[in-house]
Amino acid sequence: MATTTRKPIQPKTKILFVCAGNTCRSPMAEVLFKAICKKHRRTGVIVRSAGTAAAVGSDMMPEVIIALQNAGIAVPKKPHVAKQYLPKMQQQYHYIFDLRDYADPYGYGQAAYDQVCAKLMYDLESLYHQIFDLKNPHPVLS
């Protein structure tokens, strides 16, 4: 009788992006980071977003979708639903990144969303390498 050996189950890396309303910056970062993981063929990563003053249940801003499309990023078919950041999330995620230092594009037109998207794409690519290539226990966004 043949025996099979199973690979040990690797724990998933859980990453959370946080902004204020969870309708602009953090969902944009969530989609971008998932795309970066896919580009690098990285599996076992759970990426989510939340807001400190979330408009709970709200969709992602339409300008975010346009900014992602302008950057060549596929927008998920499943609609985004804004979630509230809760203190218990500190124990649920390996990495939590605060995006409130990034300019909030809300109300400033499509160009502002495109600028935030471009900066996030650049910074999140670097962050990806800090987490997965360098095994940095304390990665930071620039």
Side-chain angles (χ1 to χ4, degrees):
M1 177 159 59
T3 60
T4 58
T5 57
R6 293 185 180 190
K7 291 182 184 179
I9 297 174
Q10 296 295 321
K12 294 190 182 293
T13 302
K14 297 177 182 175
I15 299 170
L16 180 68
F17 292 103
V18 180
C19 68
N22 193 223
T23 59
C24 298
R25 295 164 290 177
S26 58
M28 184 185 296
E30 178 183 346
V31 171
L32 288 169
F33 202 79
K34 286 177 180 177
I36 290 167
C37 288
K38 184 176 180 179
K39 175 180 86 171
H40 291 288
R41 297 186 175 136
R42 171 70 58 179
T43 59
V45 182
I46 296 171
V47 184
R48 301 286 185 263
S49 63
T52 57
V56 175
S58 294
D59 296 333
M60 191 180 330
M61 295 299 295
E63 294 90 343
V64 171
I65 295 168
I66 293 167
L68 290 166
Q69 290 170 336
N70 288 346
I73 303 298
V75 178
K77 290 180 173 60
K78 182 179 176 186
H80 171 77
V81 178
K83 293 166 237 34
Q84 179 66 38
Y85 173 80
L86 302 170
K88 69 179 183 180
M89 291 176 171
Q90 292 178 10
Q91 285 75 43
Q92 296 171 338
Y93 290 88
H94 298 103
Y95 302 103
I96 298 175
F97 299 100
D98 185 348
L99 300 174
R100 290 175 295 169
D101 286 342
Y102 285 77
D104 187 350
Y106 184 80
Y108 290 99
Q110 189 60 51
Y113 285 85
D114 292 341
Q115 287 176 337
V116 170
C117 186
K119 178 152 179 46
L120 278 172
M121 280 182 70
Y122 178 83
D123 291 349
L124 293 176
E125 182 71 34
S126 174
L127 181 69
Y128 172 90
H129 293 290
Q130 288 181 53
I131 293 171
F132 296 111
D133 296 349
L134 304 176
K135 309 293 188 228
N136 185 345
H138 303 288
V140 295
L141 282 166
S142 16

